Amino acid sequence: LVEKAGKNAFVLGRRDPLQAFMWYIIIGKVPVLKLLFETDHRESSKRLLNLLKQDFSDPKGPANKAAQRLACNFLSNHKYSNAVAFFCLAKDFGSAAQVAQKELGDLSLLMLIA
């Protein structure tokens, strides 16, 4: 069901991988995201692909810190779904859940994150 939401977001979002990013991150389908970003020729997609290729295994590592910075940037720009996605990528599920509840008011999304 969540993967279908990701596919729909990608297609309805003019084949922009960022539109499907949150859904695929939540279900752990990073390889699918990498493929979507590889097929997109926008400069922003190339930068995000480079980020996705980094090692996220260390919670305090540079990749996770970069993802958290991006999440905070999206949050300050009121792009809450993207903020949730990048908090999840950084494995900061508490912050992701807080944004989903407080800013999006989406209890279903909150349950997926938790």
Side-chain angles (χ1 to χ4, degrees):
L1 190 60
V2 177
E3 188 168 4
K4 187 170 184 165
K7 287 178 185 177
N8 288 338
F10 177 71
V11 172
L12 295 175
R14 298 186 192 134
R15 303 187 71 77
D16 180 0
L18 192 56
Q19 300 301 315
F21 195 86
M22 178 181 69
W23 302 110
Y24 284 113
I25 287 294
I26 287 173
I27 60 173
K29 296 265 183 162
V30 176
V32 173
L33 275 174
K34 287 179 185 177
L35 288 173
L36 293 177
F37 280 108
E38 284 173 356
T39 61
D40 192 40
H41 300 292
R42 289 172 253 207
E43 187 60 36
S44 60
S45 290
K46 291 176 185 175
R47 288 192 305 264
L48 287 173
L49 177 60
N50 287 335
L51 176 66
L52 287 173
K53 288 180 178 178
Q54 294 184 27
D55 180 16
F56 288 90
S57 62
D58 179 10
K60 296 186 184 210
N64 286 342
K65 288 182 181 182
Q68 281 190 317
R69 279 193 305 274
L70 283 169
C72 291
N73 186 30
F74 281 123
L75 191 57
S76 68
N77 289 317
H78 307 283
K79 296 182 178 181
Y80 302 121
S81 295
N82 292 339
V84 167
F86 281 92
F87 278 129
C88 287
L89 180 62
K91 296 181 179 39
D92 185 355
F93 299 109
S95 295
Q98 186 177 9
V99 173
Q101 180 183 17
K102 184 177 177 187
E103 303 299 341
L104 295 173
D106 191 335
L107 297 178
S108 299
L109 179 59
L110 180 63
M111 296 295 287
L112 283 173
I113 295 167

